[in-house]
Amino acid sequence: MTRQANLKQLDNAQIANILSEMAVLYAMHHVEFKPRAYEKAAESVAAFHEDIGILYKREGIVGLQKIPGVGKGIAFHIEQLLTKGSFEEYRELKAKTPVQIEELMAVEGVGPQTISMLWERLKIKNLNDLEKAARAGKIQKLPGFGKKSQEKILRGIEFLQQTGGRKPLGIALHHARELEIAVVKFKEVRKVAIAGSLRRRKETIGDVDLLICTDKPEKVTEQFLALPSVRHVFGKGTTKINVRLRNGLEVDVRVIPEESWGAALNYFTGSKAHNVALRKIAIKKGYKMNEYGLFKGKKMVAGKTEKEIYEKLEMSYMEPELREDTGEIDAAIREFHGEKPWLPKLIGYSDLKGDLQVQTDWTDGKNSIEEMALAAEQMGLEYIAITDHTKSLAMTNGTDEEKLLRQMKEIDTLNAKLRLQGKKVCILKGAEVNILKDGSLDIADEVLSQLDVVGAAVHTHFNLSLSEQTARVVAAMKNPHVDILFHPTGRLINKRKPIELDMEVVIAKAKETKTILEINASPERLDLKDNFIRRCVERGARMVIDSDAHAMEQYAFLPLGIAQARRGWAEKKDILNTFSLKEFLSQLK
DNA sequence: GCCGTTTTCGGCCCGACTGTTTTCAGTCG
């Protein structure tokens, strides 16, 4: 079993990056069909629910071929990546074109053919070279290029340097909704909708797709371009405009006629993979499908609503969060024909009854326990757990045993006061206990046993090896007082990588020890992320969705967590804080 | 290179817009 030994530490994201580089390299050399094959494989690897290295250790090359879009050829390449860190074709192609593909591709408007030309003619290898060449006016002299292409490249580089490309869901959603409100006020606008990855609630957003339904496209585009929030116009046509807002967000606007509303909504919501799969099915059934509708010959047979399109294709309606071509279409077809397993009945956006991670001014929160409780009641919650940080997290003024006991008394007093005032919200005694390097906790069991709910979390030693980190977290889950594992992978979106954790083991142990895994809804965390949530659902491990609020207004994070749960195919029953207080408490250890 | 309600061979989604052209390639979603 040579494959057991000496695996290079390549994670899914790194493998996906190399496969996607292969796609570009083949495209640069005008190889047909391979680019799409590699790109598809890269997407599945990036979204795969398990660490591919672990999958390979367990099941070998045959296991790798279980990844959608990965056949014999690419499985072999992945094996090479895992065992040797590279593979022949990759080395050869890189030798021919030794350029920084990922950073060049990130520039808006730059694709494989441009990169190829830049290398051949100007020996441009990276973003730095590109910027210099553009500033020196060398790009506009290339065949097929001109002054405008050169300026576009410079703007693209500037944008990348400012933003790093993608914005967290929470921020993009907020800005997009403001825009939606502004547009809906235009007189000639009949309907507005946010589409794209934002409608699917992906954790980060490249740009906003805004659909506008109107009979007067010229007038509406004119009004839109005159909005004070529009800073720069990249392009405008009769049905499509592309702008950058003052807040840095890039927006694609499509103007849609009423009869095509559903087709356009479907088309621009994506994902691309979901669309491609739908269109293939449409073709098989003798239709043609585009953003204007579903057509039999020249006759439009559906398009006004998404539902009627799906029905014509003999599938049930799929919620936007499911549309990633990861099994939802098969499930929708089965459901339409009355066969199981059906699509999940996703947890709804108003299904949460509690929040199990709330910090207060006892540590690093902004508001008092009482303020947080009253705000929770306003949000329609029935219970919250106060989970201030514990002592080993010195920078947050963490609580020790003595302080925790005092806080418990205060919570008793407050609960009594709230009852007298006729309030319904109940405050649970909790803590966000630190998991120390060896998996033990920084608060004594005797005190933990007096709390209603105990959350444990990793806040230090992020760099342990896979086996050490997994063992550490499992040890904490085995503690009979630990009810919830908070933000299990510790990642910060666009800032900090997740800790090395064997999630298959963590999920199995969570089930075994009756430890709940948290979906932390804080916009910078969204941890667990969607693919792990889906794995928990499949394995029957239980979860909660928490805001991790450090201030009253942060309960508004909860819908972001619900969105991730929906992307992970979670139903109400999978998320324990959809239960009433009594039911919830009965589920704890 | 992948994949199968047309298939183990022969296909592989579709349209808008831009820039530099004068009929189209490249990029994007």
Side-chain angles (χ1 to χ4, degrees):
Chain A
M1 298 293 269
T2 49
R3 71 167 187 259
Q4 299 286 347
N6 297 326
L7 284 196
K8 306 277 174 198
Q9 295 283 328
L10 283 180
D11 63 24
N12 292 9
Q14 291 168 313
I15 294 170
N17 278 344
I18 291 174
L19 293 177
S20 143
E21 246 188 281
M22 285 296 291
V24 177
L25 286 163
Y26 277 128
M28 286 167 68
H29 294 95
H30 295 99
V31 177
E32 277 192 301
F33 305 114
K34 286 191 187 187
R36 195 169 297 151
Y38 275 90
E39 197 47 56
K40 200 164 162 44
E43 280 165 23
S44 326
V45 166
F48 202 67
H49 57 75
E50 186 182 9
D51 186 276
I52 302 241
I54 295 172
L55 169 72
Y56 174 69
K57 260 193 196 171
R58 194 180 59 241
E59 301 181 33
I61 199 158
V62 181
L64 296 177
Q65 289 182 61
K66 288 183 186 162
I67 304 165
V70 174
K72 268 190 185 160
I74 293 181
F76 179 68
H77 290 335
I78 296 176
E79 178 177 57
Q80 298 283 301
L81 284 174
L82 287 169
T83 52
K84 300 201 168 73
S86 185
F87 56 91
E88 186 75 36
E89 286 85 341
Y90 181 61
R91 278 193 298 271
E92 276 174 13
L93 285 168
K94 284 297 270 189
K96 267 195 226 168
T97 10
V99 300
Q100 295 292 320
I101 287 172
E102 203 185 337
E103 62 179 57
L104 291 174
M105 283 291 289
V107 180
E108 173 89 24
V110 173
Q113 301 316 320
T114 306
I115 294 179
S116 190
M117 163 96 69
L118 292 170
W119 166 247
E120 301 281 329
R121 303 268 179 153
L122 298 172
K123 293 286 172 255
I124 286 171
K125 277 185 174 179
N126 52 41
L127 214 51
N128 203 5
D129 294 347
L130 180 59
E131 187 175 2
K132 273 190 210 152
R135 292 208 187 283
K138 288 182 186 164
I139 305 288
Q140 59 179 319
K141 291 181 188 146
L142 294 172
F145 287 72
K147 205 165 176 151
K148 284 197 168 176
S149 349
Q150 180 166 289
E151 277 165 12
K152 190 177 178 194
I153 283 175
L154 278 171
R155 274 199 313 273
I157 294 173
E158 190 192 343
F159 176 65
L160 269 184
Q161 288 163 344
Q162 278 172 10
T163 67
R166 293 184 75 84
K167 290 202 182 312
L169 171 67
I171 291 166
L173 192 57
H174 175 74
H175 291 323
R177 280 178 172 154
E178 282 180 348
L179 190 63
E180 196 180 9
I181 289 166
V183 170
V184 91
K185 286 181 188 153
F186 298 169
K187 217 162 137 197
E188 284 84 7
V189 167
R190 303 164 73 133
K191 273 184 278 196
V192 185
I194 296 168
S197 53
L198 201 45
R199 184 164 177 240
R200 304 199 313 279
R201 299 291 191 268
K202 273 200 74 151
E203 63 188 36
T204 60
I205 304 297
D207 63 6
V208 173
D209 292 282
L210 196 72
L211 304 190
I212 303 178
C213 178
T214 181
D215 301 326
K216 301 245 165 38
E218 295 82 6
K219 212 147 192 193
V220 168
T221 31
E222 195 181 305
Q223 277 177 298
F224 187 91
L225 293 173
L227 281 174
S229 55
V230 172
R231 192 177 74 189
H232 183 84
V233 181
F234 292 118
K236 52 180 176 186
T238 48
T239 65
K240 173 180 166 172
I241 49 182
N242 180 222
V243 304
R244 160 114 10 99
L245 301 182
R246 292 195 185 284
N247 57 34
L249 211 62
E250 212 176 303
V251 184
D252 270 348
V253 183
R254 319 275 175 153
V255 179
I256 313 292
E258 177 103 55
E259 67 272 15
S260 296
W261 182 251
L265 197 54
N266 184 251
Y267 186 93
F268 292 114
T269 295
S271 65
K272 198 173 159 184
H274 178 89
N275 286 354
V276 169
L278 283 188
R279 274 198 290 277
K280 280 185 183 164
I281 291 170
I283 290 167
K284 274 181 202 157
K285 292 188 184 294
Y287 298 113
K288 190 179 80 156
M289 192 176 169
N290 57 28
E291 61 262 56
Y292 301 107
L294 188 66
F295 298 88
K296 194 118 208 175
K298 290 197 168 159
K299 188 172 181 285
M300 178 159 133
V301 294
K304 210 163 179 185
T305 66
E306 291 190 304
K307 196 156 182 278
E308 72 176 27
I309 296 171
Y310 284 131
E311 274 174 6
K312 269 276 182 254
L313 296 175
E314 299 186 31
M315 43 185 91
S316 298
Y317 177 81
M318 284 159 269
E319 297 289 348
E321 295 92 331
L322 295 177
R323 301 182 196 169
E324 299 291 343
D325 192 28
T326 52
E328 77 281 5
I329 293 177
D330 280 346
I333 292 170
R334 280 196 299 269
E335 183 172 296
F336 183 88
H337 292 105
E339 296 159 18
K340 288 188 175 183
W342 294 348
L343 287 164
K345 300 275 166 287
L346 297 182
I347 174 179
Y349 281 99
S350 51
D351 281 344
L352 290 186
K353 295 198 168 79
D355 188 345
L356 290 313
Q357 187 177 176
V358 173
Q359 348 287 332
T360 70
D361 58 6
W362 280 62
T363 55
D364 62 343
K366 214 169 82 183
N367 297 102
S368 68
I369 301 177
E370 185 171 8
E371 286 168 335
M372 291 307 287
L374 292 172
E377 169 136 340
Q378 284 274 308
M379 291 289 292
L381 295 175
E382 292 171 15
Y383 52 98
I384 58 168
I386 301 300
T387 54
D388 281 302
H389 288 289
T390 49
K391 60 188 173 190
S392 64
L393 214 56
M395 70 278 203
T396 63
N397 188 26
T399 55
D400 57 14
E401 281 84 351
E402 183 272 327
K403 194 170 165 189
L404 255 182
L405 289 167
R406 264 195 297 132
Q407 191 184 54
M408 288 184 218
K409 271 194 186 156
E410 168 148 343
I411 290 175
D412 281 334
T413 312
L414 272 173
N415 270 329
K417 182 177 161 191
L418 291 170
R419 286 299 85 69
L420 277 175
Q421 292 173 346
K423 305 285 182 195
K424 290 198 193 86
V425 68
C426 178
I427 310 168
L428 299 175
K429 300 161 193 163
E432 177 173 7
V433 181
N434 258 325
I435 302 175
L436 302 175
K437 192 182 174 192
D438 62 357
S440 64
L441 305 175
D442 72 339
I443 295 288
D445 279 1
E446 181 199 309
V447 175
L448 294 182
S449 69
Q450 298 177 54
L451 293 168
D452 297 313
V453 53
V454 174
V458 168
H459 288 108
T460 56
H461 300 98
F462 294 112
N463 292 323
L464 300 185
S465 70
L466 179 74
S467 56
E468 282 176 300
Q469 198 69 271
T470 306
R472 171 195 188 189
V473 168
V474 168
M477 288 196 295
K478 282 183 177 161
N479 182 304
H481 303 295
V482 171
D483 298 299
I484 309 174
L485 182 63
F486 282 166
H487 45 75
T489 73
R491 66 133 176 205
L492 295 176
I493 293 173
N494 291 346
K495 277 190 207 144
R496 186 171 71 209
K497 293 182 75 166
I499 54 175
E500 298 266 343
L501 265 193
D502 186 336
M503 284 304 292
E504 287 295 294
V505 171
V506 170
I507 290 168
K509 289 289 172 186
K511 206 180 162 190
E512 190 183 308
T513 60
K514 294 187 78 179
T515 308
I516 301 162
L517 298 181
E518 182 188 60
I519 300 169
N520 189 300
S522 166
E524 60 173 5
R525 290 191 183 272
L526 298 179
D527 179 14
L528 297 172
K529 65 185 249 127
D530 48 15
N531 55 351
F532 292 136
I533 296 170
R534 182 141 175 214
R535 202 57 183 161
C536 287
V537 170
E538 285 167 1
R539 290 297 168 98
R542 304 159 324 151
M543 294 166 278
V544 290
I545 299 170
D546 297 334
S547 67
D548 199 355
H550 284 63
M552 295 191 293
E553 60 275 13
Q554 291 181 356
Y555 288 120
F557 294 162
L558 286 170
L560 302 176
I562 297 172
Q564 297 318 298
R566 288 165 63 88
R567 288 181 54 80
W569 295 45
E571 304 193 350
K572 221 172 142 177
K573 66 170 170 45
D574 300 310
I575 307 295
L576 295 188
N577 53 332
T578 62
F579 294 8
S580 70
L581 177 59
K582 204 176 148 194
E583 285 173 300
F584 171 75
L585 289 175
S586 74
Q587 296 293 319
L588 301 181
K589 281 185 190 172

